[in-house]
Amino acid sequence: MAFELTRDDLRDLVRGAALLGTGGGGDPSIGRTLVSEALRDGRSVTIVSPDELDDDDYVVPTAFMGAPSVLVERLPGGTEAIDALRALEAHTGQRATATMPIESGGINSTIPLFVAARHGIPVVDADGMGRAFPELQMETFAVYGVDGPPLAIADERGDTAIVDTGSDNKKMENWARVLTVQMGGVSHIAAYGMRGADIRRTAIPGTLSLALALGRTLREAREQHRDPMGALKDALADTLYERGDVIFTGKVVDVDRRTVEGFTRGRATIAAFDGDASCTIDFQNEFLLAKVDGRTRAIVPDLVTVLHMETGEPITAESLRYGNRVHVFAISTPEMMRTPEALRVFGPSAFGVDEDFVPFEQLPVGSHSSVVPEKEVAE
Amino acid sequence: MAFELTRDDLRDLVRGAALLGTGGGGDPSIGRTLVSEALRDGRSVTIVSPDELDDDDYVVPTAFMGAPSVLVERLPGGTEAIDALRALEAHTGQRATATMPIESGGINSTIPLFVAARHGIPVVDADGMGRAFPELQMETFAVYGVDGPPLAIADERGDTAIVDTGSDNKKMENWARVLTVQMGGVSHIAAYGMRGADIRRTAIPGTLSLALALGRTLREAREQHRDPMGALKDALADTLYERGDVIFTGKVVDVDRRTVEGFTRGRATIAAFDGDASCTIDFQNEFLLAKVDGRTRAIVPDLVTVLHMETGEPITAESLRYGNRVHVFAISTPEMMRTPEALRVFGPSAFGVDEDFVPFEQLPVGSHSSVVPEKEVAE
């Protein structure tokens, strides 16, 4: 059902979006800042459900592309994504009737909100990843037959390019990526333009309202001194994601992080507060694989998230630091992201992880999974 | 005046174009092969003079972009430039009434001929460099106010991109360059679409018919055992280029050539047959600067060309080899390429050459400039 998103909702929404971003998706404060400005003076954005779209509505997702760390240094003027959308509209000769996110994440859940507020169109409550992924072909849209091209890409000067690689979404990603690098590491894009009927068939529905609900859940649990992890688990039960649980709790004792070909890659190691148990998390922008004592506990495309134990705030792979006291919380991904055709595009092998995907709920529970020292619980 | 170009003309045309390519512009045999196929069965291409265009004719130059050495290994299917032209036509909503070269050179003088033969449009007898240059902003079109963007670029699969950087031709070059690298080092483009009136104002006229005449001159001199260099000098006298002369003759004794950032850079050294005189030629794809005994004899944008002494065939910087017996022949560039605004775009400093431009005809003649050993003359 359609609802109005106001400035007051933003903080909750980006918190939940950052959680679904599974360590990637960029610093939520950037997206919040951008949209907050657009929603001043009581303005709101209309969020519509996929069910409310007409079959022939023309919906164009908008997004930021590139290195979030660069975006921090070069705050977007805000109009880049709109420039991209307009360039695509001019190229296709079609006016977008709505926009939507391509992924859930701190930044890319918010870019379409900004575009919508400025462009005077609604945002569809759905996206094409239901989490964050590093590349543009990793979309349920693509898995279920919607072409990414033509893609429009804009830089901070309003200069644009149109990439048309037919049905080759990976090639579209490659071309857009080199243009993004040429633009200084940051660009904004409009791609995967599609009909309302295609969205109902290919998108993960409800992810914006889910992000809002999860972000609110975490805040309220903190305010009411309830267990945020239990609240999160309960909040997921009635959604497409269904299952979520703490798989480890401890202190970050090592983060090996390097930038390779524009990606942030590495491994974080977390030690239990009692005993010898430890958890490793491999990441490439997003957290991909969590193991406890060497045994796999959650693997992409299931969601591996890391939250501050004290505040319940999600932590990105970029900002994870030695000494952070954290919960590692796994979430089962929606079924449409676990099909064989989906796993071919964004299963473990797409990230060079040499393990088969096993649903999180079928993996064994570790013995040291969620031991919290008593003084922590008391806080 | 309009004329029909036939298959029989091709060999002369590419020879002359390679000469104007001043060491760059790629292997002439590739362009010849491509067009030869399109002109089978007595078909011809109409070459029209800029004077014959209507003011509002829409002319779209077409070209190859990238590393000629890669093109040799990956022969174009031929349709890439047409794909680029069609993509630009679709994007702008305008049908091209003619095409033309962006530069004179072994390959890029021929690409528009192929496009014209297949697309059923004429080729304008003009281009935007009057020689070859390595980058897309180095155009008289650009110098005199025609924007390069929007540019269309196509790969060998028919996938395309549109680059629209407004009036920023250098940025257009940068974006098209990274796309070309991503495409494997070779692309085809359509850019600098303009009106007939703009061509008359900004293009170097008559360069295709000049290439044909110069190529024919070299062949006929060889066939008639006349001095090809003298014939070349005579042939240039009545053209916009006016002056040409041998500035050195000798044997290539060293070629220091390396590939830097996609460009072929280096220096060739030529030793006189008698005495100690030597000539150095610095190049970046094209020959840029010729010195005899350390004194500058010709400098970009004037044309430095190198021809086989025995055959009168132009030699590219890529194919120049130790032991080649050569004439170094300098040609004064047309006046519209020597203006202050032109020199800012493609004068010596644009190539990192730390010398002011001095017209070739004002530079001193070296004492060892054209000594040919008697046995060579006798051949």
Side-chain angles (χ1 to χ4, degrees):
Chain A
M1 216 179 64
F3 65 97
E4 300 293 309
L5 186 85
T6 66
R7 222 173 160 204
D8 294 338
D9 299 323
L10 274 179
R11 203 168 284 267
D12 288 338
L13 185 137
V14 296
R15 181 183 303 108
L19 182 80
L20 295 175
T22 70
D27 183 343
S29 66
I30 295 172
R32 196 177 62 227
T33 305
L34 195 64
V35 184
S36 181
E37 194 58 31
L39 294 186
R40 283 178 70 140
D41 309 323
R43 274 178 291 178
S44 65
V45 175
T46 303
I47 315 282
V48 300
S49 152
D51 296 336
E52 296 167 289
L53 295 170
D54 288 338
D55 276 357
D56 59 353
D57 267 334
Y58 177 56
V59 181
V60 180
T62 47
F64 147 83
M65 183 170 188
S69 55
V70 175
L71 195 62
V72 174
E73 287 158 31
R74 294 174 49 186
L75 270 181
T79 54
E80 295 90 337
I82 293 171
D83 291 334
L85 179 63
R86 289 201 171 126
L88 195 66
E89 288 179 332
H91 182 78
T92 60
Q94 295 180 81
R95 183 121 180 123
T97 53
T99 185
M100 67 187 286
I102 61 168
E103 68 177 345
S104 292
I107 296 174
N108 271 338
S109 290
T110 60
I111 296 290
L113 301 174
F114 177 84
V115 170
R118 286 292 187 86
H119 211 59
I121 52 177
V123 180
V124 180
D125 188 6
D127 73 74
M129 296 182 182
R131 47 167 292 156
F133 279 131
E135 299 188 347
L136 293 177
Q137 79 280 11
M138 296 172 168
E139 293 280 341
T140 53
F141 311 147
V143 169
Y144 298 109
V146 172
D147 293 336
L151 165 148
I153 184 166
D155 73 1
E156 83 285 358
R157 299 286 297 274
D159 291 325
T160 58
I162 304 286
V163 169
D164 191 352
T165 54
S167 294
D168 195 334
N169 301 305
K170 172 61 175 154
K171 195 188 227 182
M172 175 191 77
E173 153 72 26
N174 293 344
W175 291 17
R177 189 68 57 180
V178 295
L179 286 171
T180 298
V181 171
Q182 185 62 36
M183 291 172 183
V186 170
S187 71
H188 285 74
I189 60 166
Y192 287 103
M194 71 187 105
R195 299 292 157 196
D198 292 322
I199 288 176
R200 278 192 285 275
R201 191 170 54 78
T202 71
I204 316 276
T207 48
L208 277 174
S209 49
L210 177 66
L212 183 57
L214 296 180
R216 188 175 283 154
T217 295
L218 287 170
R219 174 177 53 80
E220 289 178 349
R222 185 174 61 215
E223 287 170 358
Q224 297 161 14
H225 303 286
R226 290 187 291 115
D227 169 26
M229 298 303 101
L232 203 51
K233 188 174 173 174
D234 292 344
L236 286 164
D238 289 336
T239 74
L240 285 179
Y241 293 72
E242 294 188 30
R243 288 165 293 262
D245 213 344
V246 174
I247 58 173
F248 200 81
T249 296
K251 189 178 96 163
V252 176
V253 292
D254 189 52
V255 183
D256 171 18
R257 184 170 34 215
R258 55 205 180 283
T259 300
V260 184
E261 293 165 3
F263 295 117
T264 303
R265 291 179 197 263
R267 171 177 291 182
T269 306
I270 302 157
F273 292 115
D274 62 335
D276 301 330
S278 73
C279 172
T280 58
I281 304 180
D282 293 346
F283 52 87
Q284 176 186 331
N285 290 18
E286 285 75 36
F287 301 126
L288 299 174
L289 173 66
K291 293 187 179 196
V292 174
D293 292 342
R295 297 179 70 182
T296 297
R297 294 302 320 285
I299 186 166
V300 65
D302 277 351
L303 288 69
V304 177
T305 73
V306 178
L307 301 97
H308 276 291
M309 217 171 64
E310 290 82 2
T311 62
E313 290 290 321
I315 311 180
T316 62
E318 288 272 353
S319 61
L320 200 63
R321 292 285 179 275
Y322 176 90
N324 285 158
R325 303 159 71 85
V326 301
H327 292 298
V328 183
F329 191 93
I331 302 173
S332 58
T333 206
E335 284 304 323
M336 69 188 292
M337 295 187 64
R338 290 171 161 188
T339 62
E341 55 266 49
L343 293 176
R344 268 197 294 277
V345 177
F346 44 66
S349 63
F351 303 91
V353 175
D354 192 21
E355 291 194 25
D356 286 338
F357 172 73
V358 179
F360 150 65
E361 65 275 15
Q362 293 174 21
L363 288 165
V365 176
S367 57
H368 298 271
S369 59
S370 55
V371 176
V372 179
E374 275 192 24
K375 64 180 168 111
E376 300 300 334
V377 174
E379 203 279 321
Chain B
M1 217 181 62
F3 65 99
E4 300 293 310
L5 186 86
T6 66
R7 223 174 160 203
D8 295 337
D9 298 324
L10 275 179
R11 203 168 283 265
D12 287 339
L13 184 137
V14 296
R15 181 183 303 107
L19 182 82
L20 295 174
T22 71
D27 183 343
S29 65
I30 295 173
R32 197 176 62 227
T33 305
L34 196 64
V35 184
S36 182
E37 195 58 30
L39 293 186
R40 283 178 72 140
D41 309 323
R43 274 178 291 177
S44 66
V45 174
T46 303
I47 315 281
V48 300
S49 152
D51 296 337
E52 295 167 289
L53 294 170
D54 288 338
D55 276 359
D56 58 355
D57 268 332
Y58 177 56
V59 182
V60 180
T62 47
F64 147 84
M65 183 169 188
S69 55
V70 176
L71 195 62
V72 174
E73 287 158 32
R74 294 174 48 184
L75 270 180
T79 53
E80 296 90 337
I82 293 171
D83 291 335
L85 179 63
R86 289 200 172 127
L88 195 65
E89 287 180 332
H91 182 77
T92 60
Q94 294 180 80
R95 183 118 181 127
T97 54
T99 185
M100 67 186 287
I102 61 168
E103 68 177 344
S104 293
I107 296 173
N108 271 338
S109 290
T110 62
I111 296 290
L113 301 175
F114 177 85
V115 170
R118 287 292 188 88
H119 212 59
I121 52 177
V123 179
V124 181
D125 189 6
D127 72 75
M129 296 182 181
R131 47 165 293 156
F133 280 131
E135 299 188 346
L136 292 177
Q137 79 280 10
M138 296 173 168
E139 294 280 342
T140 53
F141 310 146
V143 168
Y144 297 109
V146 172
D147 293 337
L151 164 146
I153 185 166
D155 73 1
E156 83 286 358
R157 300 285 297 272
D159 291 325
T160 58
I162 304 285
V163 169
D164 190 353
T165 54
S167 294
D168 194 334
N169 301 305
K170 173 62 174 153
K171 195 188 224 182
M172 174 190 77
E173 153 71 26
N174 293 345
W175 291 15
R177 189 68 56 181
V178 294
L179 287 171
T180 297
V181 171
Q182 186 62 37
M183 291 172 185
V186 170
S187 71
H188 286 74
I189 60 166
Y192 287 104
M194 70 186 105
R195 299 292 158 195
D198 293 321
I199 288 177
R200 280 192 283 278
R201 190 170 56 77
T202 70
I204 316 277
T207 48
L208 277 174
S209 49
L210 177 66
L212 182 56
L214 296 180
R216 188 175 285 155
T217 294
L218 287 170
R219 174 177 53 81
E220 289 177 349
R222 185 174 60 215
E223 287 170 357
Q224 298 160 13
H225 303 284
R226 291 186 291 114
D227 169 27
M229 298 303 100
L232 203 52
K233 187 173 174 175
D234 292 345
L236 287 163
D238 289 337
T239 74
L240 285 178
Y241 293 71
E242 293 188 32
R243 286 165 294 261
D245 213 343
V246 174
I247 58 173
F248 201 80
T249 296
K251 189 178 96 164
V252 176
V253 293
D254 188 53
V255 183
D256 171 18
R257 183 169 36 213
R258 55 204 179 282
T259 301
V260 184
E261 293 166 3
F263 294 118
T264 303
R265 290 179 197 262
R267 172 176 292 181
T269 307
I270 302 156
F273 293 113
D274 62 331
D276 301 330
S278 73
C279 172
T280 59
I281 305 179
D282 292 347
F283 52 87
Q284 176 186 332
N285 290 16
E286 284 75 38
F287 302 126
L288 300 174
L289 173 66
K291 293 187 178 195
V292 174
D293 292 342
R295 297 179 69 184
T296 296
R297 293 300 322 286
I299 186 167
V300 65
D302 278 350
L303 288 68
V304 177
T305 72
V306 178
L307 301 97
H308 276 290
M309 218 170 64
E310 289 83 2
T311 62
E313 290 291 321
I315 311 179
T316 62
E318 288 271 354
S319 60
L320 201 62
R321 292 285 179 275
Y322 177 90
N324 285 157
R325 303 159 73 84
V326 302
H327 294 296
V328 182
F329 191 93
I331 302 172
S332 58
T333 207
E335 284 305 322
M336 69 188 292
M337 295 187 63
R338 290 172 160 187
T339 62
E341 54 267 46
L343 293 175
R344 269 197 295 275
V345 176
F346 44 66
S349 62
F351 302 91
V353 175
D354 192 23
E355 292 195 23
D356 286 338
F357 173 73
V358 179
F360 150 66
E361 65 275 13
Q362 292 173 23
L363 289 164
V365 175
S367 55
H368 297 273
S369 58
S370 55
V371 176
V372 180
E374 274 190 25
K375 61 180 168 113
E376 301 300 334
V377 175
E379 202 281 322

